[in-house]
Amino acid sequence: MRWVALASLVLALAPDALAVKSQDFKTCSQSGFCRRGRALSTRAAEAKANKTTWVSPYSIDSSSLSISPSDASFTAAVKSSLYPDIKFGLELRVHEDGVVRVRMNEVDGLRKRYDEAASWALIREPEISKDITWKAGKKDVKAKYGENEVVVAFEPLKVTLLRNGKEQIVLNGEGLLHMEHFRAKEEPKKVEEGEEVVTDSEGQQEVMQQEPTVNPRAWFEGETEDDYWDEKFNSWTDTKPKGPESLSLDIDFPNHAHVYGIPQHATRLALPTTSGPEATYTDPFRLHNADVFEYLADSTMSLYGSIPLMHAHSADSTVAVFNAIGSETWIDISHPVKDKSTLSHWISESGILDVFLLPGPTPSDIFAQYARLTGTTALPAHWSLGYHQCRWNYVSSEDVRAVQKRFDEEDIPVDVFWLDIEYAEEHKYFIWDKKTFPDPVEMTEDVAASGRKMVVIIDPHLKRTSSYPVYQEASEKEFLVKNKDGGEYEGWCWSGSSSWVDCFNPAVADWWVEKFKLEKLDGRYSWVESTKDVHIWNDMNEPAIFNGPEISMHKDSIHYGGWEHRDVHNINGMLFHNLTSLAVLRRTSPPQRPFVLTRSFYAGSQRFGAMWTGDNLGTWDHMAVGIKMVLANSIAGMTFAGSDVGGFFGNPEPEMLVRWYQVGIFSPFFRAHAHIDTKRREPYLLDEPYKSIVKDILRLRYKLLPVWYTAFRETSVTGKPVVRPHYVEFPKDVKGFDLDDQFFVGSSGLLVKPVTDKGATEASVYLPAEDQVYYDYFSHVAYPSTSSGKQIAVPAALDQIPFFIRGDSIILTRERPRRSSPLMAKDPFTLTVALGKTGQAKGELYLDDGTSYAHESGDWVWREFVATTEGKKKKAVVKIESKDLGKTRGSEAVDPTKVTSPSKELSTETYDSKNAFAKSIEGVRVEKLVVLGLGSKPSSVKAAVSGEGDKELVWEWKEGVAASDKKMKDGSAASELIIKDPKVTITKDWVISVQL
């Protein structure tokens, strides 16, 4: 009841927590610029249907073409036949890696269009190629490099990226490009002497026109000025002081039938159609960060984050477009030629045209190209990959201690306890409510004593009161967003009357960093009642404003530099996340890796921490779509992602909760969370057998932490996602292009299909199109796939997870149960060698201290494990080797952009295998080795360690089918060689020889 007393006023304005209130959010038909863009598309389609010529009004003035003599760029003037007096400028660049950047802006306009979106997303200005040259002809200008060619047609303006002569991406091929220029508002015409005046039905006077004025631009723009100068939605009016400034662009993929990306939406991974015959949805996909309570599990509605990146895929190639725009954007998708092509139509409220064409041609190439633009996921703290326990709210210090005690009593692992908004006095973030949290530092130290951490919420809205020093400082320094009249913007959120930090102001960064300092500052507030074991949760940063239009900020609000909120809305949340991550990193010296969770995000947010999919429901549909959403975020760079286990709203039945934990352990970010009105559902509260099942599920996550951390190292360097949909790993397997309910974990070879159906006892799993064997992770029974792919039925009772090891893989796990992941740092490893059809296997392990940045100076261990089969079947020798990857690929271990010592650039030459971290774990051993799929029982097993002699090992043998058996039947038990204590360590080179 205390919470109700504190927040009753706020709740009166908060979204209804019973169901999504669709009426609070616009559809395309309620958005003036989206209506105009869609109407443009309709007119073009009607013209084609009527066999009427439709030609884009935009063309290049070939006489203005200026090709750079020093790099692969050119500029040109663009003219519009609609407005001959309006000037536009075009620039194309080809980057060193083949990415093409296309920029178009209004020149010498009445106002400046927002052109800074890319600068927030990019890690640096990309290098333009000095080897590629543009060649101008009479009708176009071209650049050819490798298999790729870019052709820019002059009239009408069209940009085409080709590979081996085949169209990959086409801009303005349908003639829908339209950049609404800035203009002066025409005032109503005054009545001149002698003109006839009439009165309409509402009593308004009008001048009688003798003849109707013909609008020569109506064929393209329509007859009326549709919401050019103001727009009403529910009770709000957007004043639109700059008038119309929207941008329409068609992006065609003529030879790609599948498109993915543009998160965040609750829908399938392969994006369904929104226009054309038999469209799945009636509204376009919307990118407009929004606080949507209990969102629909199948919708194009905008949610909390926006990444304007789209992959297009076929069996021949993968390409992508990154449209660097920060304003509200709607995207229509259709398939002009079914199963062959895709047309997308992007309609944005403001900004310039700034599009990056990523040529691929493989998914891995796309991830690398996008990572070079926007950066990779930061290598997270190791503990942050463990289990996070959260609810709104743990109500006191003693409540936190009691929850931790119960986890320990039940021997259930957990790494992090979370505090929602009720820790803060009157929801003044940073300020502890001493009635319920009288000893926050001591409470945190009690949690940290078991190697655990706390995460505490800090939202961007500041309570407007003189008793809140953070607000007072921000107000005095003018660090707050302003309203359209120049005063402090005021809205309502959890704190009541609030103002919002303007993170676009460069001076805010240092000030925000100060707030997180653990020591007292002279005359300035700092969070001294915190510790280095407290990390941060940024919520409500879309921004969410309970009494604002669409539960957000008025679009005519003003940010630093004079930009309207409409220009930067989708970027806003990323900047708050960025500054908070920076603040946590800088609060100690030397710095520790920060963990900061965000709800709102944009392209580039992956550099700053994790995200979750927001306020989901405890339903089977939401459990299932959460997997698809995490995959969509992952391929768009935001791979440290997860959905709230159990659903934020509702009280899931035990069966659902068990299945949701099975989903959660295979999410990169793994947190259970619940609404304040739900029943408590910590895993120790479950009845048997559910409690024991969930405990085993959680322990499986902890056993697999070496796999997860190794996968995160890879994504931090290459950009390849931690969880990968089928098309990423098998880009030529057409049957897998629509798969989004099963996926792979990194490059490990682990394949999982979580069960999301009530009452299921069996699951259907698709095995990729390859001649390979897949082993059940738990039972080690084998399933052979085929070159055309294969569907298998596997047991999936409540305590079973369809989980497989691909042949050719070696998996490293830590099998000893612990209370938290830091307590596992010196635990031994188990190797599972899953032999493939040819008797080969390989895997990797990456380790560092998991918390500091010492790895950027070379303090890490990166090992490769390889199994090979030599000789004929009956006398074959299987060798399993441990190799130091630092000696051969040392420069690839860490993202070179994150190396802290430029003078000591990491390489195979500078790598030290006896670095400080390697020395600290030199005693960590391999305690068990399991080999699956051997052809016959060994005659001997020996280990040879570098610098030591051979050792005969003790082993056990279980008869079963060999990986190479061409007559293998589904579900056959694989042979198992079990070597206990092979007497080898994890940091040394060694070879184990298995003589058959």
Side-chain angles (χ1 to χ4, degrees):
M1 294 304 292
R2 178 186 165 279
W3 176 84
V4 175
L6 280 172
S8 58
L9 180 60
V10 174
L11 279 180
L13 295 165
D16 185 353
L18 296 177
V20 63
K21 296 177 70 173
S22 299
Q23 67 272 20
D24 285 343
F25 303 95
K26 290 181 181 180
T27 60
C28 180
S29 65
Q30 295 170 306
S31 169
F33 78 91
C34 186
R35 267 198 318 273
R36 299 196 298 271
R38 258 197 162 183
L40 170 61
S41 178
T42 299
R43 287 190 288 273
E46 289 173 349
K48 291 181 180 180
N50 296 328
K51 298 184 179 180
T52 303
T53 301
W54 178 274
V55 179
S56 170
Y58 293 88
S59 61
I60 290 177
D61 178 358
S62 59
S63 66
S64 69
L65 182 68
S66 177
I67 298 175
S68 170
S70 58
D71 60 34
S73 67
F74 77 80
T75 60
V78 173
K79 54 189 178 182
S80 166
S81 61
L82 301 176
Y83 299 94
D85 296 333
I86 304 301
K87 302 175 184 178
F88 300 94
L90 178 72
E91 180 184 19
L92 264 81
R93 304 173 181 175
V94 183
H95 299 168
E96 286 184 335
D97 62 354
V99 169
V100 180
R101 186 177 188 178
V102 184
R103 285 169 58 92
M104 181 173 138
N105 198 356
E106 189 174 346
V107 178
D108 298 330
L110 289 178
R111 299 178 181 86
K112 179 177 169 61
R113 301 181 76 94
Y114 185 70
D115 60 358
E116 298 176 5
S119 68
W120 296 111
L122 302 182
I123 54 175
R124 66 178 70 84
E125 195 63 28
E127 293 289 332
I128 304 173
S129 172
K130 298 187 185 306
D131 300 321
I132 300 169
T133 57
W134 289 95
K135 295 183 179 179
K138 292 182 178 180
K139 296 182 178 180
D140 54 35
V141 57
K142 302 178 180 179
K144 190 166 186 178
Y145 52 102
E147 298 177 329
N148 300 317
E149 184 179 21
V150 187
V151 179
V152 183
F154 294 155
E155 190 171 357
L157 169 60
K158 183 172 76 169
V159 180
T160 305
L161 175 68
L162 304 99
R163 178 171 172 263
N164 294 327
K166 196 173 184 178
E167 291 183 331
Q168 303 292 295
I169 307 173
V170 181
L171 307 185
N172 200 35
E174 302 299 312
L176 303 183
L177 169 65
H178 189 34
M179 182 175 282
E180 293 179 332
H181 66 279
F182 288 121
R183 65 202 74 190
K185 183 177 182 180
E186 294 184 7
E187 299 300 328
K189 185 178 179 182
K190 294 182 180 179
V191 178
E192 302 292 340
E193 187 176 350
E195 286 185 312
E196 184 179 354
V197 178
V198 297
T199 304
D200 65 15
S201 59
E202 296 181 356
Q204 301 295 315
Q205 290 186 341
E206 296 179 337
V207 177
M208 175 66 74
Q209 299 291 332
Q210 299 301 316
E211 294 182 5
T213 302
V214 177
N215 181 359
R217 298 180 286 271
W219 68 274
F220 193 81
E221 290 190 318
E223 292 286 356
T224 62
E225 294 187 351
D226 184 4
D227 280 351
Y228 274 23
W229 300 101
D230 62 59
E231 183 171 326
K232 293 178 173 60
F233 177 68
N234 293 341
S235 62
W236 294 277
T237 298
D238 178 4
T239 59
K240 293 190 176 181
K242 295 185 293 181
E245 54 176 317
S246 73
L247 174 65
S248 163
L249 176 67
D250 58 279
I251 303 177
D252 190 8
F253 305 100
N255 294 289
H256 297 82
H258 288 80
V259 288
Y260 313 96
I262 58 169
Q264 185 183 41
H265 301 95
T267 187
R268 302 198 300 272
L269 177 67
L271 295 168
T273 54
T274 62
S275 63
E278 302 178 0
T280 303
Y281 300 117
T282 57
D283 239 29
F285 289 97
R286 189 186 189 196
L287 295 178
H288 181 255
N289 297 353
D291 178 10
V292 186
F293 268 45
E294 294 195 333
Y295 55 83
L296 299 173
D298 184 12
S299 174
T300 61
M301 281 182 70
S302 58
L303 291 176
Y304 310 94
S306 299
I307 301 179
L309 172 74
M310 181 180 285
H311 290 208
H313 183 71
S314 72
D316 291 332
S317 68
T318 311
V319 295
V321 292
F322 169 45
N323 186 4
I325 200 105
S327 64
E328 176 186 349
T329 298
W330 301 76
I331 305 162
D332 264 322
I333 294 173
S334 61
H335 296 299
V337 181
K338 189 176 181 181
D339 298 328
K340 183 180 187 298
S341 66
T342 303
L343 173 63
S344 64
H345 181 202
W346 301 61
I347 312 164
S348 302
E349 184 169 18
S350 68
I352 68 168
L353 190 157
D354 196 355
V355 176
F356 298 79
L357 312 182
L358 283 60
T362 69
S364 293
D365 292 325
I366 293 296
F367 296 128
Q369 290 157 6
Y370 183 67
R372 282 190 286 270
L373 293 173
T374 67
T376 60
T377 296
L379 184 63
H382 186 276
W383 57 263
S384 68
L385 306 185
Y387 174 56
H388 297 246
Q389 181 64 53
C390 182
R391 74 171 281 110
W392 178 22
N393 204 86
Y394 292 117
V395 299
S396 67
S397 300
E398 290 310 309
D399 192 9
V400 172
R401 291 182 173 101
V403 171
Q404 172 164 257
K405 182 180 179 184
R406 286 297 307 276
F407 268 92
D408 288 343
E409 288 173 346
E410 298 287 349
D411 203 17
I412 298 174
V414 61
D415 264 70
V416 195
F417 296 111
W418 290 55
L419 291 178
D420 211 318
I421 58 176
E422 307 309 326
Y423 82 91
E425 179 186 84
E426 298 179 339
H427 301 149
K428 295 181 291 189
Y429 304 107
F430 299 100
I431 311 298
W432 295 92
D433 187 336
K434 289 305 183 69
K435 294 178 182 177
T436 48
F437 291 90
D439 56 347
V441 171
E442 292 79 5
M443 173 194 69
T444 303
E445 289 173 346
D446 287 346
V447 168
S450 296
R452 298 182 178 122
K453 308 291 182 183
M454 296 288 299
V455 169
V456 175
I457 198 166
I458 300 286
D459 287 350
H461 50 272
L462 304 181
K463 188 175 184 66
R464 294 169 56 87
T465 175
S466 59
S467 65
Y468 187 21
V470 181
Y471 165 73
Q472 283 294 100
E473 289 181 21
S475 179
E476 291 168 5
K477 293 176 180 291
E478 297 189 354
F479 286 168
L480 301 170
V481 178
K482 300 183 184 304
N483 59 35
K484 63 184 178 65
D485 299 317
E488 284 182 7
Y489 180 89
E490 180 181 3
W492 285 78
C493 205
W494 298 121
S495 301
S497 175
S498 304
S499 288
W500 275 257
V501 179
D502 186 3
C503 297
F504 290 89
N505 186 333
V508 165
D510 288 341
W511 172 78
W512 192 245
V513 167
E514 282 186 349
K515 301 311 105 193
F516 290 81
K517 291 293 185 180
L518 304 178
E519 66 274 6
K520 288 185 178 182
L521 303 177
D522 185 22
R524 306 183 306 281
Y525 176 83
S526 62
W527 202 12
V528 295
E529 290 191 302
S530 182
T531 82
K532 63 180 180 60
D533 293 308
V534 172
H535 292 257
I536 304 301
W537 171 16
N538 287 159
D539 196 0
M540 313 298 283
N541 52 330
E542 294 77 25
I545 301 172
F546 295 153
N547 64 335
E550 300 194 87
I551 325 296
S552 196
M553 187 169 281
H554 295 72
K555 289 185 173 181
D556 53 10
S557 302
I558 304 298
H559 290 270
Y560 179 84
W563 298 111
E564 284 190 299
H565 185 71
R566 81 179 73 250
D567 299 318
V568 300
H569 176 83
N570 287 342
I571 305 171
N572 182 82
M574 177 179 77
L575 298 197
F576 186 63
H577 185 210
N578 178 357
L579 295 190
T580 304
S581 179
L582 182 68
V584 177
L585 183 150
R586 290 186 179 177
R587 70 184 172 186
T588 58
S589 182
Q592 299 290 300
R593 290 181 226 172
F595 173 82
V596 181
L597 179 75
T598 186
R599 189 170 72 174
S600 182
F601 53 90
Y602 181 67
S605 285
Q606 67 270 14
R607 304 192 298 267
F608 314 120
M611 60 73 62
W612 92 107
T613 62
D615 297 340
N616 56 353
L617 280 71
T619 67
W620 292 96
D621 286 345
H622 271 257
M623 185 197 306
V625 81
I627 296 172
K628 308 172 197 301
M629 293 169 73
V630 168
L631 291 174
N633 277 290
S634 293
I635 64 165
M638 203 71 199
T639 193
F640 198 1
S643 294
D644 282 339
V645 169
F648 181 57
F649 294 103
N651 295 297
E653 59 187 315
E655 179 193 358
M656 183 191 298
L657 195 56
V658 168
R659 290 300 193 191
W660 216 312
Y661 271 99
Q662 292 173 352
V663 170
I665 65 163
F666 293 106
S667 298
F669 172 59
F670 176 29
R671 179 181 79 158
H673 186 34
H675 188 270
I676 196 168
D677 292 332
T678 64
K679 297 176 182 177
R680 290 225 172 174
R681 46 171 130 111
E682 289 75 15
Y684 54 73
L685 294 175
L686 288 167
D687 293 329
E688 293 292 0
Y690 309 107
K691 179 167 66 175
S692 293
I693 296 174
V694 170
K695 181 193 290 188
D696 288 343
I697 293 168
L698 287 165
R699 285 182 171 177
L700 177 60
R701 170 69 172 211
Y702 279 76
K703 291 176 182 180
L704 290 167
L705 283 179
V707 173
W708 287 102
Y709 198 61
T710 299
F712 266 97
R713 184 219 62 86
E714 183 180 7
T715 197
S716 74
V717 175
T718 68
K720 289 192 73 172
V722 171
V723 288
R724 302 174 185 172
H726 190 93
Y727 87 91
V728 170
E729 290 296 276
F730 293 89
K732 295 186 179 299
D733 186 0
V734 177
K735 292 179 183 177
F737 292 174
D738 285 315
L739 277 179
D740 55 13
D741 58 357
Q742 63 180 62
F743 53 88
F744 293 86
V745 178
S747 298
S748 66
L750 293 174
L751 169 64
V752 64
K753 180 173 182 176
V755 176
T756 59
D757 295 319
K758 180 179 174 59
T761 58
E762 187 177 81
S764 178
V765 179
Y766 177 74
L767 298 184
E770 60 170 345
D771 185 21
Q772 189 55 273
V773 58
Y774 283 75
Y775 302 91
D776 183 284
Y777 180 89
F778 305 101
S779 68
H780 296 163
V781 300
Y783 297 87
S785 190
T786 68
S787 58
S788 59
K790 180 179 178 180
Q791 209 78 32
I792 60 171
V794 298
L798 188 57
D799 62 345
Q800 294 176 304
I801 306 171
F803 187 30
F804 303 89
I805 310 173
R806 179 181 179 270
D808 274 4
S809 305
I810 298 178
I811 309 299
L812 286 97
T813 57
R814 278 176 154 155
E815 299 288 323
R816 299 187 180 187
R818 301 289 187 186
R819 290 179 294 172
S820 65
S821 65
L823 303 180
M824 302 170 71
K826 300 292 180 70
D827 280 356
F829 286 87
T830 291
L831 271 68
T832 301
V833 180
L835 294 176
K837 289 275 190 176
T838 60
Q840 317 295 316
K842 65 179 180 179
E844 291 182 11
L845 173 69
Y846 174 81
L847 299 169
D848 58 32
D849 68 21
T851 58
S852 78
Y853 288 92
H855 64 292
E856 295 182 353
S857 298
D859 283 342
W860 41 260
V861 168
W862 186 22
R863 307 293 303 185
E864 181 180 38
F865 300 88
V866 179
T868 56
T869 300
E870 303 172 359
K872 297 181 180 180
K873 280 188 178 181
K874 293 184 179 180
K875 296 184 178 180
V877 177
V878 177
K879 291 185 176 181
I880 303 162
E881 299 182 65
S882 172
K883 302 178 180 180
D884 189 346
L885 280 174
K887 295 178 179 178
T888 55
R889 295 168 56 194
S891 60
E892 302 173 37
V894 179
D895 183 349
T897 66
K898 297 172 183 173
V899 175
T900 55
S901 303
S903 61
K904 186 185 177 184
E905 184 177 343
L906 296 179
S907 68
T908 54
E909 289 77 22
T910 60
Y911 167 71
D912 181 4
S913 61
K914 296 181 180 180
N915 61 75
F917 174 74
K919 286 182 179 179
S920 74
I921 63 164
E922 61 185 1
V924 174
R925 62 190 180 89
V926 176
E927 69 174 347
K928 187 178 179 181
L929 196 149
V930 179
V931 184
L932 305 178
L934 280 172
S936 61
K937 184 177 180 179
S939 59
S940 73
V941 180
K942 295 180 180 180
V945 180
S946 179
E948 303 175 19
D950 290 358
K951 301 175 184 178
E952 190 73 41
L953 301 179
V954 177
W955 48 274
E956 297 176 6
W957 172 254
K958 292 184 180 179
E959 289 289 350
V961 68
S964 59
D965 190 338
K966 295 180 179 180
K967 297 181 180 180
M968 182 191 298
K969 296 182 179 179
D970 288 350
S972 301
S975 67
E976 293 183 43
L977 170 65
I978 303 166
I979 306 169
K980 294 182 178 179
D981 190 14
K983 303 185 187 306
V984 294
T985 60
I986 207 67
T987 60
K988 283 190 175 182
D989 292 351
W990 46 259
V991 179
I992 292 177
S993 299
V994 180
Q995 179 69 59
L996 301 185

